[in-house]
Amino acid sequence: MGCVSETCGSLNRMGFVDLVNSLYLRRLRRQVASGPIPRHVALIIDGNRRWARQMGLAHVSLGHQAGAEHIDTVLGWCADAGIRHVTVFVASADNIRKRSPDEITFLMHLTERVIAERLAQPSSRWRIHLAGHLDLLPDSTAHALKLARETTAGQETDSHLTLAIGYSGRAELVDALRSLFEQEARAGTTTAELAERVTVADIASQLDTSGQPAPDLVIRTSGEQRLSDFLIWQTAYSELHFCDVYWPGFRQRDFLRALRAYAARLER
C-alpha cells in the first residue's frame, strides 16, 4: 500500500537532511583530526534556563536537568576527540547565593543524581577533581561530589574531569594567597622575604586546579562573551570560543567547529 504523497515527501526530506548532516559531521571530523587538538578544554555551560523558555517547558529547572544530562554526551565527544582534560563550570558561587532556593535545591539534586553518581560508576573513564567552595553546597551534595572524587581516584586512566561548583576565580586566588602566606609563615619566612621571591609557580601550586594543565580552549555557550569569574588565573593564555546556542542544544557540530577554530588560530 503506497504512502500518502505528502508523508512520503516529508520522509524523503528528513532522510536528505540526515544525510547532509552526516556528511557534514564526517567532514568536520576529518578537519579536526588533521589539526592540533587541545589537551584541556574548559566548558562554561550557560543558557539552561533560556533553553527551557525557548522550548516552552513548564519550569526553567527542566533546562538544568537537560543541561546536566548533556554533560555526559559532551564528555563522550571530548574522549572521542582525544581530549584528556576537561573542566566543567557547573555552578558559580554567585549563582548559588543569588538564585532562588527552589532552583538551587533542584540543581543540587541534579548534581548528586545525574552528575556525581553517573561519573562515579566503575565504568567511568574520568578521574574526578573538584574546584570551588563545597561549604556553599548542601551536605548531601558535597558528600556525593567527594565520593565521586574518592571513587575515581584510583582509576587507571589518563582522563581527568574537574567539576567547578560553588566556584569563584577571584575567591580561589584569595584562598591561594592566604594558603601560601600561612605555609610560608609556618616555615619561618617573613613577609618581606616572601614578597622578594614569590613566583607564579608558588601561587599556582595553591590553586584548586594544582597539578592540572591550564585550559588550551574555553568554550562558552549561550552567546555571552565573558568568562564570568571562571578560571581567571588559569585562562591567561587560553583560546576562547563563544557559541550562540544554549548548552542543552549544544550539538556535536558546534563542538567540532570550536575545535576547528582552535586549530586554525594555532596555525595563524
Side-chain angles (χ1 to χ4, degrees):
M1 182 176 178
C3 62
V4 178
S5 60
E6 183 177 338
T7 303
C8 288
S10 177
L11 290 173
N12 287 334
R13 284 194 295 274
M14 289 173 61
F16 177 73
V17 169
D18 288 343
L19 175 62
V20 171
N21 286 337
S22 177
L23 292 173
Y24 182 56
L25 280 175
R26 189 180 304 173
R27 179 187 175 195
L28 282 172
R29 290 190 191 101
R30 285 199 304 268
Q31 291 173 333
V32 168
S34 67
I37 298 293
R39 182 185 181 192
H40 182 177
V41 170
L43 300 166
I44 304 177
I45 56 174
D46 195 22
N48 293 330
R49 301 195 303 169
R50 281 169 284 172
W51 178 85
R53 295 189 190 102
Q54 184 184 70
M55 300 299 290
L57 300 181
H59 199 281
V60 294
S61 288
L62 296 176
H64 291 311
Q65 181 170 338
E69 292 172 347
H70 196 44
I71 290 173
D72 198 43
T73 299
V74 178
L75 288 176
W77 299 341
C78 291
D80 290 344
I83 297 164
R84 295 293 174 253
H85 294 266
V86 179
T87 298
V88 179
F89 199 5
V90 178
S92 70
D94 203 45
N95 286 153
I96 291 172
R97 293 189 186 101
K98 293 183 178 180
R99 296 280 171 86
S100 72
D102 287 346
E103 184 178 350
I104 293 303
T105 297
F106 188 81
L107 180 58
M108 294 300 105
H109 285 321
L110 285 174
T111 301
E112 295 170 29
R113 294 184 292 103
V114 178
I115 301 176
E117 286 186 13
R118 288 186 185 179
L119 292 171
Q121 295 299 314
S123 58
S124 175
R125 72 182 82 193
W126 300 94
R127 185 177 300 169
I128 307 303
H129 307 272
L130 302 174
H133 278 191
L134 296 188
D135 56 355
L136 294 177
L137 312 181
D139 290 344
S140 59
T141 308
H143 174 73
L145 290 167
K146 289 176 182 177
L147 183 60
R149 179 177 62 190
E150 292 165 7
T151 301
T152 61
Q155 203 86 311
E156 292 294 331
T157 180
D158 61 350
S159 298
H160 298 265
L161 170 64
T162 300
L163 299 173
I165 183 166
Y167 178 83
S168 161
R170 287 174 292 186
E172 181 188 28
L173 280 174
V174 171
D175 290 343
L177 289 171
R178 183 179 293 119
S179 177
L180 180 61
F181 292 155
E182 291 172 349
Q183 175 182 293
E184 293 296 329
R186 287 193 298 270
T189 307
T190 67
T191 303
E193 289 171 337
L194 180 58
E196 179 68 26
R197 64 175 176 79
V198 67
T199 66
V200 167
D202 292 331
I203 297 173
S205 70
Q206 303 300 320
L207 297 173
D208 293 349
T209 57
S210 175
Q212 300 294 318
D216 303 295
L217 173 65
V218 179
I219 301 173
R220 179 170 187 160
T221 57
S222 86
E224 303 294 344
Q225 298 189 15
R226 58 180 182 271
L227 289 177
S228 297
D229 200 22
F230 179 53
L231 300 180
I232 54 178
W233 174 279
Q234 297 89 335
T235 57
Y237 295 102
S238 303
E239 295 290 339
L240 308 179
H241 183 86
F242 301 106
C243 179
D244 287 336
V245 302
Y246 301 135
W247 172 250
F250 184 66
R251 303 160 298 180
Q252 189 173 17
R253 63 168 58 190
D254 301 313
F255 174 70
L256 293 172
R257 284 170 178 163
L259 298 187
R260 182 178 64 181
Y262 168 81
R265 290 177 195 171
L266 288 196
E267 289 173 0
R268 289 198 300 271

